[in-house]
Amino acid sequence: MSKPDFPIRTRRLTLRPFTLDDHAALQSWQSRPDVVRYLYGDVRTPEDTSERLARDMSVTWPEKEGENLALAVEKDGEVIGEVVLKYRSEAHRQGEVGYTFHPDHHGNGYATEAAAAMIDLGFKNLGLHRIVASCDAFNEPSWRVMERLGMRREAHFRHNEIFKGAWGEELIYAILEDEWHRMADSPWGPGGA
């Protein structure tokens, strides 16, 4: 395992650890009902965002199972979203990637570009073997990102839990380390992010 040098630069984006100065940007999308519609929990108050920001800032690299690396995603100096790499299992070398972006920046490929960088970190720097991602089955833009990343749909859980007062459905996607490295010529694979 080797902690990368931050910031991480992709073709159009900069990924870096959160700072206290990012509170307003984080709150700008975490306080929106349309953003939290498919996420656990409700809209966040400024106090909720402060707690979340402190938690995110406390992990600068996932050293052990259960830790999450959350990075701010900047476009031209503006924080437009966040990406997360969760260290799920040390013994089985498993991780999970996630992303949330301000709706003003949807539809530009930023989530795909940022998530690709996190997947690359997971395989190259954290030594993971398998990375998963999940989303609400009705969140088509999210699962489309997973498919653009070359992830394979492995499950569609129907009525697997009560989510925000109704039966929810969840999609699970995954990609293996060797599959990711074979995608070197892909625009989102290791060489294209």
Side-chain angles (χ1 to χ4, degrees), residues 18 24 36 49 54 59 75 83 88 97 106 109 111-112 121-122 125 134 140-141 149 152 157 165 179 187:
F18 278 101
V36 301
T49 298
V59 177
K75 169 77 169 120
V83 286
R88 290 291 189 205
V97 68
H106 287 179
T112 307
L121 279 180
N125 295 78
S134 66
E140 183 175 349
L149 288 165
R152 159 188 64 263
F157 296 116
E179 294 169 331

Side-chain angles (χ1 to χ4, degrees), residues 1-5 61 117 119-128:
M1 287 194 318
S2 61
K3 181 179 177 180
D5 292 327
W61 182 245
I119 290 172
D120 213 41
L121 279 180
F123 290 134
K124 288 182 178 175
N125 295 78
L126 196 53
L128 298 177

